[in-house]
Structures are given as structure tokens and as C-alpha cells.
Amino acid sequence: MLSVMALERQGVIPEQGDVLVTGANGGVGSYAIALLTRLGYRVVAYTGRPEETDYLQGLGAAEVIDRATLSEPGRPLGKERWAGAIDAVGSHTLANVLASTRYGGTVAACGLAQGMDLSASVAPFILRGVTLAGIDSVMRAYADRVESWRRLGELLVPEQLDAITSSIALDDAIEAVDDLLAGRIRGRVVVTMAL
């Protein structure tokens, strides 16, 4: 929600075009797709698991693209495609997303699943006026947190929460971590604690 709010704050509106969500199968990506779709944006989901297309379209993604299209080192500027983006991946993916963001667009960076490095050019910033908005959830102001939770409660519907969230017992956590690292988990996993 904080990433969506950053796009809104920077003036990205649905009429400006597609919004890309990287790491689409993860928790951040899944929620971002659902939220952006409810707000009227046309969302393009970026994933390394094309077999999850039905899931992503069920959350509202209008299009699904394979991560191979943006995950390798790219050019300083690419064809303008995105009005905005929410990036949970970082590294080469973030650099390529920036390079293909439209004039005046905004990219909210909130993750580093691919890596902490950013081999990018200043070209998108000085030639296209692209904004890179860093999303911090650790030191975020209390008022921003309250507003984000209020908006989540307003925008998400129970069916979306059910689709995005799964629960496991504490005894299953180690196996779930292995699945997570192997890229077999989608959405958010809640560990329930037996009393």
C-alpha cells in the first residue's frame, strides 16, 4: 500500500498507462496487483513463473510478462512503456524498469529479491524526469502507517485476501522456507501458533 500511495503522490493516474509490478507472485507483488486493479490501473505482472498466469490474472493483472525480459543488464534507455511501477526485485530488473518508464513516470522500489546492486544510468532521471521513490516500512511515520492500513481495509476484499494468503503450522515452517527459496511459494504465508 505504501508503494501505491507513492505512485499516487507523484501523480501517476490510471489514464497515463500501464503500471508494472515486479515480483508479482510474492506477497508484495500480489497485494500491489490487487490494490492497483481496484483503483482502476491497468496492471502488467512480471514473473519468473508463467504457470501462475491464472493466479495473477485472478488478482487483476491485465497482462503477464516473463522475468527474462528485464532481468539481465540492459541499455541506459529503453522504449517507454510504464506510467509507473512497483518494484520488489531490484538489481538489473529495477535498472531496466527505470529505463523503460515513460516521461514523468514513477517507480516505487520496495524490495531487493534479485539483489541490492543497481547498475543504472542517470538517463531516465534527467532525460525523462523519472522519479525513483524508495519505500521504507521500518522507520515510516506513524501517520503514513495508519493511512496505509485504512486504505488496505477499504480496498481489499476477502476473496483477494483468501487468494493471496495461506496458513501453515509452525512445524511446517522449515519446509515452507525451502519452498520459498526455491520459488514455489506465492503470496503471503502466515505461520499459526498452537497454544
Side-chain angles (χ1 to χ4, degrees):
M1 189 71 240
L2 293 170
S3 296
V4 172
M5 290 166 56
L7 295 183
E8 291 174 331
R9 209 173 297 120
Q10 291 298 321
V12 177
I13 59 174
E15 295 76 22
Q16 291 173 322
D18 293 351
V19 174
L20 178 70
V21 174
T22 68
N25 286 318
V28 170
S30 294
Y31 280 107
I33 291 167
L35 292 166
L36 289 164
T37 300
R38 291 269 297 157
L39 289 166
Y41 293 88
R42 184 179 188 279
V43 179
V44 177
Y46 167 94
T47 183
R49 294 188 278 164
E51 68 274 11
E52 295 285 359
T53 295
D54 289 344
Y55 165 72
L56 297 169
Q57 289 175 334
L59 294 176
E63 183 180 343
V64 178
I65 62 172
D66 190 285
R67 93 168 139 217
T69 59
L70 298 171
S71 63
E72 298 298 323
R75 300 185 335 224
L77 279 178
K79 181 181 176 186
E80 292 181 72
R81 173 110 198 247
W82 323 113
I86 295 177
D87 176 64
V89 177
S91 191
H92 298 305
T93 297
L94 177 55
N96 287 316
V97 170
L98 291 165
S100 56
T101 297
R102 291 182 180 173
Y103 186 87
T106 297
V107 177
C110 59
L112 44 83
Q114 187 179 18
M116 293 181 71
D117 61 311
L118 180 60
S119 299
S121 164
V122 297
F125 308 113
I126 62 174
L127 297 177
R128 291 191 181 152
V130 170
T131 297
L132 176 58
I135 306 302
D136 165 56
S137 62
V138 176
M139 302 300 292
R140 197 63 177 226
Y142 179 74
D144 287 348
R145 292 170 189 261
V146 169
E147 177 63 8
S148 68
W149 282 108
R150 183 193 70 72
R151 300 268 320 269
L152 282 168
E154 176 184 285
L155 293 170
L156 290 175
V157 295
E159 297 79 25
Q160 289 172 318
L161 291 172
D162 290 343
I164 294 169
T165 308
S166 60
S167 297
I168 61 169
L170 181 59
D171 291 343
D172 298 325
I174 299 298
E175 183 179 333
V177 168
D178 292 339
D179 287 341
L180 178 69
L181 293 173
R184 293 186 295 262
I185 299 277
R186 70 177 180 201
R188 281 284 180 233
V189 175
V190 176
V191 179
T192 58
M193 307 293 285
L195 298 176

